[in-house]
Amino acid sequence: MKKQKVKLNIGCGIRVVPGFINVDKMFTLEQLTNKEGPFKNSAMQDGVQYVQADARELPFDNSYADYIESVDMIEHIPMRDTKQVLSEMYRVLKKKGEIRIMTTNFDELAKLWTEFVDGKDIDFTDPNNQFFNLAEVIYGNQHHGGEYHVAPFNPRYMHALLKYVGFTDIVINIFPTGCSDSPNMETAPWGEGLVARTEMMVAYARK
């Protein structure tokens, strides 16, 4: 019988996906299972694996996983800790294992801010006000401690970090604003009527 691949979903939030070992620092298994209050939209199902842990100190042995995904997590890590997080992912990944990381392309955010916010008046009655729309993408939803963005990523920075910690075969694709096509991520909520609010960057690499 073919051995089942070990797949990690690092920084899963409330999106706990079958077929993965889902990892997040902010929530307990009980909170995700009870689906009360801020966890009412939790995707937790019976039998799905969840581990509460910090991405900077993953509780897995060396060369443990065949595949790692991380969607909209890395921007929540303090800039000086991002190398440690990627080093941990590299450590627990098997030789020739694959990693995929999705985050917002900060290069585009900077351009949009300059074009639509800089020098513009702020209309607090406009629900589509670009100040608040872009500020939320840059700094996070901020509903609780796990929803603050603290590190900007662009393709060059992402490529440099992945290469620095040892990854090879690095490819970074950009998915434009309004895109609803799947960026080939198993844990991302594409195909549910969602579109990218701003450019999304997906990094693919191997150990």
Side-chain angles (χ1 to χ4, degrees):
M1 181 180 293
K2 189 175 181 180
K3 188 176 180 180
Q4 189 173 11
K5 288 186 176 181
V6 176
K7 301 191 291 186
L8 303 181
N9 177 18
I10 307 295
C12 64
I14 62 173
R15 191 164 188 79
V16 187
V17 181
F20 283 78
I21 299 175
N22 301 273
V23 181
D24 202 283
K25 174 185 176 181
M26 299 305 300
F27 314 127
T28 66
L29 178 61
E30 182 179 9
Q31 288 171 323
L32 292 170
T33 303
N34 290 342
K35 300 186 179 184
E36 297 176 353
F39 308 100
K40 64 181 180 180
N41 295 320
S42 166
M44 190 72 191
Q45 304 173 27
D46 291 342
V48 176
Q49 293 178 276
Y50 175 76
V51 175
Q52 186 178 14
D54 193 321
R56 290 166 286 200
E57 297 181 23
L58 293 173
F60 306 111
D61 293 335
N62 295 346
S63 303
Y64 177 79
D66 298 279
Y67 177 69
I68 295 175
E69 276 198 7
S70 181
V71 176
D72 293 336
M73 182 279 288
I74 196 70
E75 69 273 14
H76 296 259
I77 302 296
M79 286 190 297
R80 289 174 176 80
D81 292 341
T82 53
K83 287 198 295 288
Q84 175 63 22
V85 168
L86 291 175
S87 293
E88 275 291 275
M89 292 183 186
Y90 184 88
R91 177 185 66 80
V92 304
L93 196 64
K94 293 177 182 177
K95 186 66 176 176
K96 297 185 179 180
E98 184 180 358
I99 186 171
R100 297 181 186 178
I101 300 175
M102 185 165 75
T103 187
T104 305
N105 178 17
F106 199 86
D107 281 352
E108 195 218 16
L109 290 178
K111 293 176 183 176
L112 292 175
W113 187 271
T114 300
E115 181 178 356
F116 294 108
V117 176
D118 185 30
K120 306 292 194 303
D121 291 334
I122 299 173
D123 182 0
F124 288 93
T125 65
D126 180 7
N128 298 313
N129 186 287
Q130 282 286 59
F131 177 92
F132 296 103
N133 179 51
L134 291 174
E136 187 174 63
V137 177
I138 294 170
Y139 294 104
N141 295 325
Q142 303 188 4
H143 293 144
H144 57 73
E147 291 193 338
Y148 284 78
H149 298 169
V150 294
F153 279 84
N154 66 3
R156 286 182 178 271
Y157 182 49
M158 178 66 79
H159 191 283
L161 279 175
L162 289 168
K163 183 178 179 180
Y164 179 83
V165 302
F167 285 102
T168 61
D169 300 331
I170 302 167
V171 177
I172 297 179
N173 291 335
I174 300 295
F175 293 83
T177 302
C179 177
S180 60
D181 295 331
S182 171
N184 204 19
M185 304 282 286
E186 296 180 41
T187 64
W190 300 89
E192 299 179 5
L194 299 178
V195 297
R197 292 172 63 183
T198 59
E199 273 188 5
M200 300 303 296
M201 175 175 64
V202 179
Y204 309 87
R206 291 187 183 279
K207 182 171 179 178

